[in-house]
Amino acid sequence: MQISGKPQLNRQINASLALSLIQRAGPLSRADLVKRTGLRATSVSAIVEHLIERGLIVETGRGISTGGRQPIMLELNPVGRHAAGIEIAEDALNGVIVDLSGRAIATGRNGISDTKAETVVKKSRALLDSLCKRAKVDLRKLAGLGVAVPGIISWDEGSVLLSRPLGWQNVRLRDMLQQATGLGVHVLNNATAGALAELSADRRQRVRSLLYILVYLKHVRQKDIASFGCGIVLDGRPYLGEGHMAGEIRADIENPLAAAAKPGGWKKFAEQLGGIISHGM
């Protein structure tokens, strides 16, 4: 679908659309992109040249002719860009660097002694430096940094409005990390991030909407208690709701591993979980 609006924004959106199609369904020809996007052939040609110049896609040879000249096929260039992700937990930071195809090329974990925002930011930078060294990627050339945080997030401001696990309130995490790393930063609720990751794993895009339940079985304060969060994706987009609190229905319930040891424990656990989800929705 062609998007109308400001020319520069149009170009960015249409380039993103073309790149997504190539990533999901490639190899594709320029003619394939014209059919799938509804854009003019001249627009597609300009977008393709732009993506090639940036190293995001490559020409991989000729495809099968349908009556005319054999088309030149286009594929994603996995090493054209890299990005980083960090999950902030109560006791540690988990990090990853991925290539353009989403393949993890370096992973790591840094323990944290406290959850003060300044400590987390400092440790995050150290973790990124370590991951980049192992992946042999220049930090300054990363496409961006995604950060998953337990709590209520302001999507627009990149701020953590409230995180009980971390003891945070109104922390401008995006600004702090951008200053520390020099990267563009996106901050997400960890359950929402998990939902989007699950969606992106479906390369054929057969699923467009889902409810993602994140159950915490490790590092809980009481071994017989589990906590969980919920992420919602509708038609391929995270659903945040009014006040950015959609899906934020955190509660403590009996650990399913503890429930399994009791007669009828699994049934009770499922009833508890279903009741809390229904109430939260």
Side-chain angles (χ1 to χ4, degrees):
M1 179 182 297
Q2 184 173 358
I3 309 296
S4 298
K6 296 182 179 179
Q8 184 175 0
L9 180 60
N10 277 354
R11 287 192 292 270
Q12 293 175 350
I13 293 174
N14 291 331
S16 177
L17 174 60
L19 183 62
S20 177
L21 285 170
I22 294 170
Q23 179 183 23
R24 189 167 68 246
L28 296 174
S29 67
R30 290 168 174 79
D32 292 330
L33 290 175
V34 170
K35 293 177 183 177
R36 289 172 179 255
T37 63
L39 297 170
R40 295 190 300 271
T42 53
S43 298
V44 167
S45 293
I47 289 170
V48 167
E49 293 308 311
H50 172 68
L51 294 175
I52 290 175
E53 288 175 5
R54 295 185 63 192
L56 300 179
I57 62 175
V58 292
E59 296 180 336
T60 58
R62 295 189 177 274
I64 299 174
S65 172
T66 57
R69 297 173 56 185
Q70 288 180 299
I72 298 175
M73 307 306 291
L74 306 164
E75 285 188 359
L76 193 72
N77 179 18
V79 298
R81 285 290 187 279
H82 296 88
I86 291 179
E87 177 194 19
I88 301 175
E90 295 177 65
D91 64 340
L93 306 175
N94 299 302
V96 63
I97 289 182
V98 298
D99 63 19
L100 198 57
S101 70
R103 181 178 64 93
I105 59 174
T107 61
R109 178 181 177 89
N110 268 4
I112 51 177
S113 57
D114 65 75
T115 58
K116 293 179 182 178
E118 294 77 10
T119 301
V120 169
V121 169
K122 183 178 179 180
K123 289 281 189 177
S124 295
R125 173 59 196 257
L127 178 57
L128 279 177
D129 288 337
S130 173
L131 291 172
C132 286
K133 183 176 181 180
R134 287 161 52 191
K136 298 180 180 180
V137 173
D138 188 339
L139 173 68
R140 296 169 296 180
K141 294 183 179 180
L142 289 177
L145 169 64
V147 184
V149 184
I152 301 172
I153 309 300
S154 171
W155 177 280
D156 300 327
E157 298 178 358
S159 299
V160 181
L161 303 180
L162 177 65
S163 175
R164 290 190 178 92
L166 301 178
W168 288 2
Q169 187 170 357
N170 296 322
V171 173
R172 301 186 68 85
L173 185 61
R174 182 180 66 190
D175 294 343
M176 296 174 70
L177 283 170
Q178 285 184 165
Q179 184 174 0
T181 65
L183 299 173
V185 176
H186 295 278
V187 181
L188 283 172
N189 168 271
N190 56 354
T192 302
L196 289 172
E198 190 69 24
L199 192 74
S200 66
D202 180 13
R203 296 298 183 188
R204 296 184 180 180
Q205 298 282 295
R206 291 170 295 185
V207 176
R208 298 292 294 163
S209 302
L210 59 86
L211 184 67
Y212 180 91
I213 305 299
L214 180 61
V215 181
Y216 300 83
L217 300 180
K218 298 180 180 179
H219 311 302
V220 292
R221 294 184 176 86
Q222 302 178 50
K223 65 180 181 179
D224 59 341
I225 295 295
S227 298
F228 74 95
C230 175
I232 303 172
V233 175
L234 297 178
D235 195 26
R237 296 177 178 272
Y239 178 71
L240 306 177
E242 186 176 356
H244 306 271
M245 292 188 289
E248 186 60 29
I249 51 176
R250 291 183 175 275
D252 290 332
I253 58 177
E254 185 175 22
N255 190 310
L257 300 181
K262 302 176 182 179
W266 275 115
K267 181 179 179 181
K268 181 180 178 182
F269 170 78
E271 290 173 349
Q272 283 184 313
L273 186 60
I276 294 172
I277 292 172
S278 298
H279 178 74
M281 294 294 287

